[in-house]
């Protein structure tokens, strides 16, 4: 990996200015000094001078200037990672001292496939910023979580979008492939009729899987039905069935089944739904959830 070359020895290292870093990140993400200048309300020439001084400070070129766009050099790509982290830490530090203190309780509901992925990091970060807020986490089906939200028992929920009879009610925060999975070295995928392990009735994964099998004319039998994806995982681990599963959740000894053997399923989305009037603590936690999914996409 390319590393930035900074002065060493007894002399103090130069410090990176936060505003200059913000300018650098904005240019890198927009791919243009002109577009970045509009975003930070400065002239392109002023931004160019900032980047020139930054390059002189680091002793490395950060951008390759082309006719209509700029792209990062290898050194610039390294600095972009550092810059994003430093800006995020700076924002957290300022928020810790200047943001109004939040208190109270927030109830968040999630399906089990989501809870195991982002919630540990989200809850840890939220607790550091808002230690006086109690967070109650409930895990269940998408339909169940939405019903509890409507009843006022939960403040925000993360659910699978596209379930039968469920219109979009919130913000789509994540999209990823749903694929066929089974045990590595297993034979379930070769059996006929195909044994499948599915989620409960009304789940988008179930509908996507059955529609794909029906369209492809694949003979199948529903061998196992379970509310949580842990049950589907157990059936796959025992090589008793294959299952539609998020690509990001497949871990050995499970594997993605060869695309040639079974029909494609497409992508599925996750939706963050907030209860109206839930309060500032709920809004703050929702912001951390959205940010966590954004980090996954970077």
């Amino acid at each position: 990996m390319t590393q930035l070359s900074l002065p060493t020895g007894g002399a103090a290292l130069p410090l990176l200015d936060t505003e200059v870093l913000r300018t650098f990140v904005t240019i890198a993400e927009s791919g243009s000094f002109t577009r970045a200048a509009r975003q930070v309300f400065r002239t392109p020439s002023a931004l160019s001078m900032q980047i020139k001084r930054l390059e002189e400070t680091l002793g490395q070129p950060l951008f390759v200037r082309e006719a209509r766009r700029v792209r990062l050099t290898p050194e610039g790509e390294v600095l972009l990672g550092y810059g994003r982290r430093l800006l995020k830490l700076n924002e957290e530090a300022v928020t810790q001292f200047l943001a109004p203190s939040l208190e109270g309780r927030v109830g968040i509901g999630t399906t089990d496939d989501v809870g195991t992925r982002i919630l540990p990091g989200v809850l840890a970060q939220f607790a550091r910023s808002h230690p006086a807020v109690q967070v109650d986490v409930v895990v269940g089906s998408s339909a169940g979580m939405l019903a509890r939200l409507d009843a006022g028992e939960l403040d925000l929920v993360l659910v699978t979008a596209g379930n039968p009879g469920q219109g979009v009610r919130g913000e789509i925060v994540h999209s990823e492939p749903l694929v066929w999975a089974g045990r590595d070295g297993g034979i379930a995928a070769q059996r006929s009729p195909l044994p499948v392990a599915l989620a409960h009735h009304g789940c988008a994964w179930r509908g996507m899987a059955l529609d794909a099998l029906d369209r492809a004319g694949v003979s199948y039998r529903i061998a196992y039905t379970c509310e949580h994806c842990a049950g589907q995982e157990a059936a796959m681990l025992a090589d008793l069935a294959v299952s539609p599963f998020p690509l990001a959740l497949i871990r050995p000894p499970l594997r993605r089944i060869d695309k040639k053997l079974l029909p494609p399923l497409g992508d599925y989305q996750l939706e963050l739904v907030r209860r109206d009037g839930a309060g500032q603590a709920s809004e703050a936690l929702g912001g951390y959830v959205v940010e966590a999914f954004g980090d996954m996409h970077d």
Side-chain angles (χ1 to χ4, degrees):
M1 183 179 74
T2 304
Q3 293 184 346
L4 295 172
S5 176
L6 294 176
T8 58
L13 293 174
L15 298 177
L16 297 177
D17 182 87
T18 302
E19 287 307 312
V20 176
L21 270 181
R22 194 179 306 279
T23 295
F24 166 76
V25 171
T26 303
I27 296 169
E29 292 178 343
S30 66
S32 164
F33 276 77
T34 302
R35 286 193 292 270
R38 287 197 293 264
Q39 293 181 40
V40 299
F41 304 104
R42 302 193 67 180
T43 64
S45 59
L47 269 57
S48 183
M49 290 182 62
Q50 281 187 309
I51 296 303
K52 182 179 179 181
R53 288 196 296 268
L54 180 60
E55 290 176 327
E56 291 173 350
T57 298
L58 298 177
Q60 302 284 353
L62 301 175
F63 290 105
V64 176
R65 276 79 167 175
E66 297 177 344
R68 295 189 175 183
R69 64 184 299 272
V70 294
R71 58 182 175 85
L72 290 169
T73 63
E75 294 79 12
E77 291 175 347
V78 174
L79 182 62
L80 180 60
Y82 283 116
R84 284 170 170 164
R85 294 198 295 272
L86 287 169
L87 291 174
K88 187 173 181 179
L89 283 172
N90 182 73
E91 183 179 341
E92 285 184 17
V94 173
T95 300
Q96 177 68 32
F97 291 98
L98 298 184
S101 178
L102 294 180
E103 298 180 347
R105 174 179 295 185
V106 177
I108 179 171
T110 176
T111 54
D112 57 337
D113 60 294
V114 179
T116 58
R117 281 192 277 178
I118 68 151
L119 275 190
V122 166
L123 295 178
Q125 189 178 19
F126 185 77
R128 288 194 298 270
S129 300
H130 307 291
V133 178
Q134 177 181 331
V135 180
D136 298 329
V137 180
V138 177
V139 177
S141 67
S142 294
M145 295 299 97
L146 288 170
R148 297 189 67 169
L149 181 84
D150 292 337
E153 299 173 8
L154 294 172
D155 300 302
L156 63 163
V157 295
L158 267 170
V159 296
T160 304
N163 293 311
Q166 176 188 319
V168 176
R169 297 178 48 184
E171 177 182 1
I172 299 297
V173 294
H174 182 61
S175 178
E176 70 174 298
L178 189 70
V179 301
W180 291 104
R183 186 177 180 91
D184 190 15
I187 61 171
Q190 282 80 43
R191 292 175 181 157
S192 184
L194 180 74
V196 292
L198 299 175
H200 53 83
H201 290 278
C203 175
W205 296 4
R206 182 187 182 102
M208 292 169 69
L210 295 182
D211 287 347
L213 293 173
D214 288 337
R215 285 196 306 268
V218 176
S219 175
Y220 64 88
R221 66 181 180 88
I222 300 176
Y224 297 91
T225 300
C226 41
E227 182 173 355
H228 299 295
C229 63
Q232 295 170 265
E233 188 172 5
M236 289 187 287
L237 289 171
D239 194 28
L240 298 174
V242 299
S243 182
F245 221 60
L247 181 60
L249 289 187
I250 299 176
R251 300 285 186 272
L254 298 181
R255 64 171 177 84
R256 180 177 182 174
I257 294 172
D258 191 328
K259 298 177 183 178
K260 298 177 182 178
L261 294 178
L262 294 174
L265 298 172
D267 290 358
Y268 82 101
Q269 289 77 41
L270 294 174
E271 179 183 3
L272 178 65
V273 186
R274 299 173 171 90
R275 180 172 61 83
D276 291 338
Q280 290 183 328
S282 173
E283 285 298 315
L285 181 57
Y288 280 94
V289 171
V290 173
E291 184 178 356
F293 280 113
D295 291 342
M296 288 175 60
H297 298 156
D298 288 342

